[in-house]
Amino acid sequence: MRDSFGRTIDYLRISVTDRCNFRCVYCMPEEGADVAPKEWILRYEEIATIVKVAAELGVRKVRLTGGEPLVRKDIVQLVRMIAQTPGITEVSMTTNGFLLARYAHELKEAGLTRINISLDTLNPERFVRIARRGSLQQVLEGIEAARQVGLSPIKLNMVVMRGFNDDEVADFARLTLRHPYHVRFIELMPINWNDGSDSGEFLQQRFWNRIFAHTEESTFQLIQAQHASHSMLSAEEMRRLFVPVHEIRQRIEQEVSPLEPAEVITNGPARTFRLPGAQGTVGFISQVTHDFCANCNRLRLTADGFLRPCLMADGEVDLRAPLREGKGEEEIRRLFLHTVAHKPERHYLAEGIVPVGRGMSQLGG
Ligand code: SAM
Ligand code: SF4
């Protein structure tokens, strides 16, 4: 599939659940998380149908994410179904690692190719302050299990926050000296930094109106904003926590050593480097300060069955309703092409258009 800006779309990220066993400060409220009713969540046969159509249209890579994908029952079975879909060459997963020690072996057997594990700190007390559930030790055991079963390369994703964990970036970089990990530093993204005002919704509406100004039909829906819970960081606090990647890089170079450019084919939007003599690499994902939109190759499927062409724009197309109305694969195919045709050229964060309709746990990151 090619979109209207000439980009090849061959990557589908699937959020398999909006539930999670953690409550990371930047992602979910500590209590009272807003999760979809169970009957809205796509069943595995429905996901399989969507993946089959996507593969026929040229999708080659699928990533399972969430919420936490490993809390979904029989997730190994879904991995196997997707890995066996003709045309799909790679099935990967993004996980918080808490249940990974239990599932690593089965996931590998079922055909999982690679894994990204989120890890924001190497300090057990801090871990509890950031994730607000779980334990560092159990995540470290998950990483070790992934290594032992040969899920490689292992990528470790660290969201860097000022005052929470920014003093650990050099330690994370040093991990690559002795281990073949790809450590990736991620800028905090303005997903659902909802301060209760409705200007975000207004801007999103104007944005989508502009996209559809010349078309007759739009099946896109603008997901309604959910107002932030008081137990989540406020938009104001999130802005204060933001650390740009150039600062992270500078800190690593000052505290450890200068970085050399490195090529990692599977590193998506990360800019990748290596410490001299290191076994692994360090990468920087700066969705906010640089944008990779010109090379974006992905679509997202939410756990409740909406196809979303851009993480940073709230427009989505409902696939669940037509599937459940028995409209068949031909209709799903048409909706995929419609979604791709209206994939926005880039994000408009600098113009103040931020996604307000869903939290990251619903979008999958
Ligand atoms: N639960 C799994 C996990 O944590 O890896 C998968 C879903 S999680 C939403 C996917 C990724 O998004 C994680 O690496 C997480 O750290 C990241 N993330 C969540 N909220 C974010 C935000 N506001 N800014 C940047 N990254 C965020
Ligand atoms: Fe859960 Fe991942 Fe969000 Fe943390 S970042 S609350 S682990 S979905």
Side-chain angles (χ1 to χ4, degrees), residues 315-326:
E316 298 175 356
V317 171
D318 187 2
L319 300 186
R320 187 185 70 218
L323 269 175
R324 292 190 180 170
E325 286 158 14

Side-chain angles (χ1 to χ4, degrees), residues 118-129:
S118 304
L119 181 66
D120 296 332
T121 177
L122 298 168
N123 172 314
E125 284 90 47
R126 274 189 184 179
F127 184 93
V128 174
R129 223 174 307 141

Side-chain angles (χ1 to χ4, degrees), residues 44 64 70 74-85 91-93 106-113:
Y44 285 170
L64 301 181
L70 295 180
D74 298 327
I75 187 69
V76 174
Q77 194 186 320
L78 181 67
V79 169
R80 188 170 294 114
M81 279 162 82
I82 295 175
Q84 288 172 355
T85 306
V91 189
S92 58
M93 180 179 281
E106 285 179 72
L107 288 169
K108 173 78 179 164
E109 295 267 287
L112 194 77
T113 356

Side-chain angles (χ1 to χ4, degrees), residues 20 22-24 26-28 66-68 96 361:
C20 188
F22 286 6
R23 291 290 182 273
C24 302
Y26 44 73
C27 182
M28 288 179 93
E68 173 49 38
N96 63 28
S361 61

